[in-house]
Amino acid sequence: DAGITQSPRHKVTETGTPVTLRCHQTENHRYMYWYRQDPGHGLRLIHYSYGVKDTDKGEVSDGYSVSRSKTEDFLLTLESATSSQTSVYFCAISESGQGYGYTFGSGTRLTVV
Amino acid sequence: KQEVTQIPAALSVPEGENLVLNCSFTDSAIYNLQWFRQDPGKGLTSLLLIQSSQREQTSGRLNASLDKSSGRSTLYIAASQPGDSATYLCAQGDDYKLSFGAGTTVTVRA
């Protein structure tokens, strides 16, 4: 989607290794989110950010950490990847944070073997 | 904990038939209710947003209604086309996040 880029698009990693996913935006939006999507669960919020260095946990944050040192970048780190973290990860941005005006990235498909 | 439910999980209809997709939510104090479309291997595209003070929104062949008292939203797609085949997700918005249903996967048969 225009204005938001996720990298990598696909990644296969081994159990126990650290993994970092990157979300980059060019819209200068204040709010950034990381979601994961699994069959039968829809999208579930992992972490979100409401400004540089301001982050908070979502409903499925265990095993994940995030950082936002610049407005445009929001990083999601799996410190020690597990098979249960095999999923599709979506980043989203929002100017208002009030549940609307979201733009989603194209997703990162992560496989932990 | 907010819960958003979409039934059925999958739906197959012949071309031209009207589609009715259902979404139920547990928190009546919602800010808004949104409908998204997701094509295979792609991200989400916003279709319609209904603010909590509104009853419905329309865009072309799409119409979404919101009934906060019953905790339900319905997405209607008139005269379905094969290009409408996708997964449709509803999401309840609150002051900082969206809570999603698992989606309904729609197949429109030519």
Side-chain angles (χ1 to χ4, degrees):
Chain A
D1 284 272
I4 180 171
T5 306
Q6 290 185 235
S7 59
R9 291 296 313 277
H10 303 273
K11 186 170 182 67
V12 179
T13 192
E14 294 186 349
T15 299
T17 61
V19 177
T20 296
L21 309 183
R22 180 181 185 236
C23 179
H24 178 77
Q25 62 149 328
T26 58
E27 304 297 321
N28 200 36
H29 286 345
R30 178 181 176 187
Y31 295 86
M32 299 186 76
Y33 306 82
W34 277 108
Y35 286 87
R36 62 178 287 175
Q37 185 176 32
D38 304 290
H41 287 279
L43 276 75
R44 293 179 291 175
L45 182 65
I46 305 171
H47 282 279
Y48 69 101
S49 170
Y50 47 95
V52 173
K53 298 186 179 179
D54 292 322
T55 64
D56 206 348
K57 297 178 180 180
E59 62 181 306
V60 290
S61 60
D62 288 348
Y64 302 94
S65 63
V66 290
S67 66
R68 191 170 180 198
S69 59
K70 299 184 292 184
T71 298
E72 57 266 34
D73 289 327
F74 192 33
L75 304 180
L76 176 70
T77 297
L78 291 65
E79 300 291 346
S80 178
T82 67
S83 59
S84 65
Q85 294 176 312
T86 292
S87 187
V88 181
Y89 292 84
F90 285 98
C91 177
I93 59 175
S94 170
E95 189 172 18
S96 72
Q98 291 182 353
Y100 64 89
Y102 279 60
T103 300
F104 282 82
S106 299
T108 294
R109 182 173 295 276
L110 176 68
T111 302
V112 183
V113 298
Chain B
K1 179 178 180 294
Q2 298 162 336
E3 290 190 5
V4 181
T5 304
Q6 293 185 249
I7 296 174
L11 187 60
S12 179
V13 298
E15 182 176 4
E17 189 166 304
N18 296 332
L19 283 163
V20 180
L21 307 180
N22 297 305
C23 173
S24 61
F25 50 92
T26 57
D27 186 357
S28 61
I30 64 171
Y31 278 44
N32 56 64
L33 193 290
Q34 302 182 54
W35 285 91
F36 293 86
R37 169 181 172 140
Q38 185 178 30
D39 293 295
K42 304 292 185 181
L44 279 67
T45 301
S46 180
L47 296 175
L48 290 169
L49 165 68
I50 312 173
Q51 298 288 5
S52 61
S53 58
Q54 299 174 319
R55 295 297 302 273
E56 67 177 345
Q57 280 288 337
T58 298
S59 176
R61 294 184 295 111
L62 276 62
N63 174 275
S65 64
L66 176 63
D67 185 341
K68 290 193 299 180
S69 62
S70 66
R72 294 182 180 181
S73 177
T74 302
L75 176 66
Y76 300 88
I77 303 177
S80 62
Q81 305 168 358
D84 294 327
S85 298
T87 296
Y88 293 84
L89 297 100
C90 68
Q92 171 182 337
D94 68 16
D95 59 350
Y96 70 92
K97 66 175 176 63
L98 293 173
S99 297
F100 285 86
T104 295
T105 299
V106 171
T107 302
V108 180
R109 307 186 304 271

